[in-house]
Amino acid sequence: MNPVEVGLQNRCRHHCRSGLCRQKANRQGQTGHRQNPEFRPAHNCSQQKRQNRHCPRPEWRLLGQHEVETDARGEADRQPKRPAAPFSRQSCEHLGCQLGNAADGHSPGWLSARVVCVTMHGGDRPHGPAPVGCIPHEPVLNHRSTHKNHREKIVRPMTVVTRFAPSPTGFLHIGGGRTALFNWLFAKHHGGKFLLRIEDTDRARSTQAAVDAILDGLKWLELEWDGEAVSQFARKDRHAEVVRQMLERGQAYRCYATPEELEAMREEQKAKKLPLRYDGRWRDRDPSEAPAGVNPVIRLKAPQTGETVIRDHVQGEVRVQNAELDDMILLRSDGTPTYLLAVVVDDYDMGVTHVVRGDDHLTNTFRQLQIYHAMGWTPPEYAHVPLIHGPDGAKLSKRHGALGIDAYRDMGFLPETMRNYLLRLGWGHGDAEIISTEQAIAWFSLDAIGRSPSRLDFPKMENLNAHYIRECEDTRLTTLVLPFIEKKLGRALDGGERDLLHRAIPGFKPRVKTLVELADGAMFLFAKRPLTLDDKAAGQLTPEARAQLTVLAARFGALSEWTAAALEGVVRDYAEQAGLKLGKVAQPLRAALTGSTVSPPIFEVAEILGKSETLARIGDVGSAN
RNA sequence: GUCCCCAUCGUCUAGAGGCCUAGGACACCAGCCUUUCACGUUGGUAACACGGGUUCGAAUCCCGUUGGGGACGCCA
């Protein structure tokens, strides 16, 4: 079959998203596609082919040779999308599964699809003439399929080196946290290195406070980096040196256009609805025309024809015409490097093998690739991770998600919660939801990262946090919640109070979603008598209830053993004698002891509070008042 | 405006042409458990954006439409 024949006959029904075929299809629609003489049919494309894979459903292989499942109801005309139960089984006539031939009045369509092709197919071996309906399909993997599982796995033996490269112009936000996590996990998974580089070439906006915030954030997330954090600015001489080489080789040139001039150019382009790009006005101009007293920037002399292709672990193959890209600035007029240049040089010098970053950098990658090409360097592999949106689907803003990672800490989230939640945002492993960091390292792969942007969902984050709080060991949880309590209390806890907290922790674990809730709930432990009652608690303390409490207090006082079980025994006996439900007595007791209607099991609370404090708190609200 | 990317329950996702009557999780609703609130447990509501095409068969492959997002700085 020659290409023209195929092209005229039909649209290409295979994966024509490569080469000319794709461009024409995109620009001119189907017609252009069909008529394009240079159309490349499927067989010229370099897809992987799955050979001889008939009847891929596993259970067919379990049914035995030459068996066919048929629909006993035999609806001849309608072609049910799915066969309706119950089935009867019939033997297949011969290797070709001819029974599919509507012998029983079934449409061959789905019937033949249920042909059992085990033995005759001999596992993966090809067999003779295709049985009816059992068309030997040769599903071809599109080398740029939309499906993440279709992405070709790029395997290159090497020691993996990843890096996280934040710019210190603000805090570490949640998207940055996830990027760092992915880089860290990928490096750990491969036993490689995870480096940290601070992209501080913008001197005006970079601050030490931001650097500290980022470092603190990473430490809190427990994402340790290898070696010292690299300052990009400190490497500016090396960057300039690389540009000098490009200049010497004619791969870069000086541009004397002023910022104002360029701004005017962009305005004009905008007005004329033209693409916004540098027009190359100094690309081929003689340096002798340079105006006096203007410090030039240095631009890359980028190729103007052909295309630049990114083979991305997440995005697949992405290509752009070089004509779409303008000559980027490498060195500013003050001699400092721009981001585009510095990133390439540093990644190269640091031996970075995999660049994992937000997909807002995808278009930068084309330009960075051009620098790699100009320098003759092998570029790293890329994985551009979709961005995280706020709960409303819009870009993250200060209002919702774009908080510093420290804000999540202050909201009472645990670092393991954040790691688990962030991991699941855009990455999945079957039905797994609760994923330990160890498991994440074992499972993580770039190719399983989804391509669509995801939204932040606080309820789910809280649910995960509740899980990790329940899992958290009591002593650690006590330590974690202590700052929250002390802040609320406005003072430090003494040793006895810490012990009280520690003993109360198990009662709170299943009841709270965040450390803040835990701290709130535990405040009554440290409250000064007499307790301030909330409205509902006050409502519980009717005169009758107060009278009951006074009786109970007397019986409690007589107890020789101060345990939750003993206290419960007393209260149950009392309730039974008085003909009351347990709750009728327990709720006022809860109000008296905690000042609230919500708390851990009240007898445990009383045990932890101790005899004298319990009796005193009851006394405060007793009928004697 | 130009280029690029994306599209399954409200949300995160599973999904590799027939295992899909589309699965799981969060959230929500109802029942059970129960001294409160939770936890736990049982069940329920809920999605393949739309239109074409390819195929015996499409959530899945192709094209288009619509909708969202990103980039287009002497920011990173």
Side-chain angles (χ1 to χ4, degrees):
Chain A
M1 207 188 307
N2 69 52
V4 175
E5 195 181 316
V6 174
L8 291 175
Q9 210 175 36
N10 230 325
R11 276 185 311 113
C12 174
R13 38 177 282 247
H14 309 274
H15 34 62
C16 286
R17 296 210 68 193
S18 67
L20 287 161
C21 178
R22 169 177 169 267
Q23 294 162 30
K24 291 296 178 187
N26 268 356
R27 298 226 169 105
Q28 298 171 16
Q30 296 181 0
T31 311
H33 185 174
R34 199 179 295 146
Q35 290 169 348
N36 175 13
E38 295 191 78
F39 157 69
R40 280 195 280 164
H43 54 266
N44 276 353
C45 298
S46 55
Q47 311 87 0
Q48 288 174 250
K49 295 189 178 180
R50 278 191 288 171
Q51 299 292 336
N52 306 310
R53 230 194 112 194
H54 302 213
C55 305
R57 296 167 65 186
E59 67 271 28
W60 295 343
R61 310 206 159 181
L62 301 173
L63 289 175
Q65 186 176 9
H66 304 166
E67 278 183 343
V68 174
E69 290 185 0
T70 59
D71 180 356
R73 295 185 311 193
E75 297 169 58
D77 298 330
R78 272 192 297 150
Q79 190 173 323
K81 208 164 185 186
R82 306 274 171 237
F87 300 115
S88 66
R89 287 188 181 174
Q90 295 175 252
S91 286
C92 197
E93 290 283 306
H94 80 329
L95 285 183
C97 310
Q98 293 294 348
L99 210 133
N101 242 344
D104 55 353
H106 287 75
S107 63
W110 67 259
L111 220 203
S112 53
R114 299 188 68 86
V115 167
V116 179
C117 315
V118 198
T119 313
M120 60 197 174
H121 292 201
D124 289 323
R125 271 181 288 125
H127 65 83
V132 172
C134 204
I135 302 156
H137 34 253
E138 294 181 7
V140 186
L141 286 187
N142 182 354
H143 48 199
R144 202 210 154 284
S145 156
T146 46
H147 199 283
K148 67 185 181 188
N149 288 339
H150 286 178
R151 281 175 227 148
E152 210 170 290
K153 298 209 159 63
I154 307 161
V155 182
R156 207 193 284 177
M158 62 170 80
T159 305
V160 164
V161 179
T162 63
R163 52 41 163 203
F164 179 56
S167 78
T169 51
F171 40 55
L172 176 65
H173 61 80
I174 198 155
R178 185 179 62 159
T179 301
L181 174 69
F182 283 6
N183 276 289
W184 183 84
L185 284 173
F186 187 69
K188 293 288 167 207
H189 177 83
H190 289 283
K193 282 192 181 347
F194 169 64
L195 308 178
L196 179 62
R197 183 176 67 228
I198 306 295
E199 309 235 315
D200 50 0
T201 52
D202 184 343
R203 301 316 288 167
R205 299 202 303 161
S206 298
T207 65
Q208 187 57 41
V211 174
D212 294 341
I214 290 165
L215 263 40
D216 284 350
L218 288 175
K219 283 179 191 159
W220 181 69
L221 284 172
E222 297 166 319
L223 304 178
E224 289 296 317
W225 56 93
D226 292 300
E228 292 292 307
V230 172
S231 158
Q232 188 158 64
F233 181 69
R235 296 176 34 81
K236 64 181 194 315
D237 294 344
R238 163 66 176 155
H239 302 141
E241 162 61 18
V242 168
V243 172
R244 194 186 54 75
Q245 286 177 32
M246 285 197 267
L247 223 38
E248 282 174 5
R249 289 193 232 133
Q251 291 166 329
Y253 62 93
R254 291 182 175 80
C255 168
Y256 294 86
T258 61
E260 296 74 31
E261 196 182 332
L262 294 174
E263 188 48 43
M265 176 194 77
R266 276 190 285 268
E267 284 304 317
E268 194 182 330
Q269 287 169 341
K270 209 178 268 183
K272 291 183 180 171
K273 303 201 167 181
L274 291 169
L276 269 39
R277 30 183 116 101
Y278 173 68
D279 57 8
R281 56 185 65 185
W282 281 92
R283 185 178 167 104
D284 298 309
R285 217 151 137 187
D286 196 288
S288 63
E289 297 177 46
V294 174
N295 284 328
V297 300
I298 299 177
R299 290 180 184 268
L300 180 76
K301 203 165 198 169
Q304 292 177 311
T305 57
E307 61 180 11
T308 299
V309 182
I310 303 172
R311 302 201 70 198
D312 192 279
H313 280 273
V314 175
Q315 306 291 338
E317 190 178 281
V318 186
R319 48 184 70 219
V320 78
Q321 296 300 307
N322 286 333
E324 303 286 343
L325 274 16
D326 61 7
D327 290 346
M328 78 193 96
I329 294 176
L330 301 172
L331 233 43
R332 301 185 186 108
S333 51
D334 65 0
T336 59
T338 59
Y339 159 78
L340 258 6
L341 186 258
V343 161
V344 169
V345 175
D346 291 349
D347 283 342
Y348 178 78
D349 288 353
M350 290 163 79
V352 171
T353 61
H354 292 75
V355 170
V356 182
R357 64 202 343 178
D359 75 2
D360 50 337
H361 286 281
L362 190 64
T363 48
N364 288 329
T365 308
F366 294 113
R367 315 178 104 93
Q368 288 169 16
L369 245 17
Q370 291 181 332
I371 300 177
Y372 279 103
H373 294 154
M375 292 305 293
W377 293 341
T378 305
E381 292 180 25
Y382 291 100
H384 286 94
V385 182
L387 301 178
I388 300 174
H389 293 165
D392 56 1
K395 199 179 171 182
L396 280 180
S397 71
K398 287 229 169 80
R399 200 156 41 77
H400 27 56
L403 304 164
I405 209 83
D406 59 317
Y408 293 88
R409 181 186 58 203
D410 295 345
M411 283 186 265
F413 289 100
L414 266 33
E416 55 265 46
T417 300
M418 297 309 289
R419 288 197 299 269
N420 194 153
Y421 181 76
L422 256 17
L423 175 66
R424 283 286 291 109
L425 222 45
W427 183 89
H429 191 270
D431 286 342
E433 294 288 347
I434 307 287
I435 304 169
S436 70
T437 300
E438 292 67 35
Q439 194 57 261
I441 290 170
W443 281 342
F444 189 76
S445 85
L446 298 176
D447 304 274
I449 298 173
R451 273 173 162 171
S452 46
S454 42
R455 300 182 187 199
L456 228 42
D457 187 40
F458 280 95
K460 184 153 185 171
M461 208 191 290
E462 288 186 335
N463 177 276
L464 260 184
N465 204 47
H467 168 83
Y468 283 110
I469 284 178
R470 271 177 260 136
E471 297 274 292
C472 189
E473 194 269 320
D474 291 349
T475 303
R476 175 174 173 239
L477 196 52
T478 306
T479 313
L480 288 173
V481 78
L482 196 61
F484 290 88
I485 290 175
E486 294 186 337
K487 191 178 172 194
K488 284 180 83 77
L489 228 42
R491 63 174 177 86
L493 293 190
D494 63 33
E497 286 172 320
R498 288 188 191 204
D499 184 54
L500 184 63
L501 176 62
H502 184 263
R503 283 184 292 131
I505 286 285
F508 284 109
K509 272 184 173 179
R511 298 184 156 69
V512 298
K513 295 198 280 286
T514 65
L515 295 177
V516 171
E517 286 182 12
L518 175 47
D520 285 345
M523 287 312 285
F524 76 83
L525 293 171
F526 315 108
K528 280 206 181 96
R529 289 181 38 228
L531 263 48
T532 341
L533 307 175
D534 68 29
D535 290 348
K536 283 184 184 170
Q540 286 287 340
L541 293 171
T542 58
E544 300 77 40
R546 288 171 192 264
Q548 287 168 15
L549 286 176
T550 307
V551 177
L552 278 178
R555 297 196 186 182
F556 285 169
L559 278 174
S560 56
E561 188 193 0
W562 192 259
T563 64
L567 292 159
E568 182 170 350
V570 168
V571 177
R572 281 191 187 277
D573 286 348
Y574 173 81
E576 205 173 315
Q577 288 161 17
L580 294 168
K581 280 191 166 181
L582 187 55
K584 276 287 181 193
V585 191
Q587 276 303 84
L589 180 58
R590 189 184 315 278
L593 297 186
T594 70
S596 159
T597 52
V598 176
S599 83
I602 197 58
F603 306 116
E604 287 175 31
V605 169
E607 178 187 323
I608 291 164
L609 241 26
K611 190 170 186 173
S612 63
E613 181 70 16
T614 299
L615 294 180
R617 289 190 183 191
I618 295 174
D620 289 341
V621 301
S623 56
N625 298 349

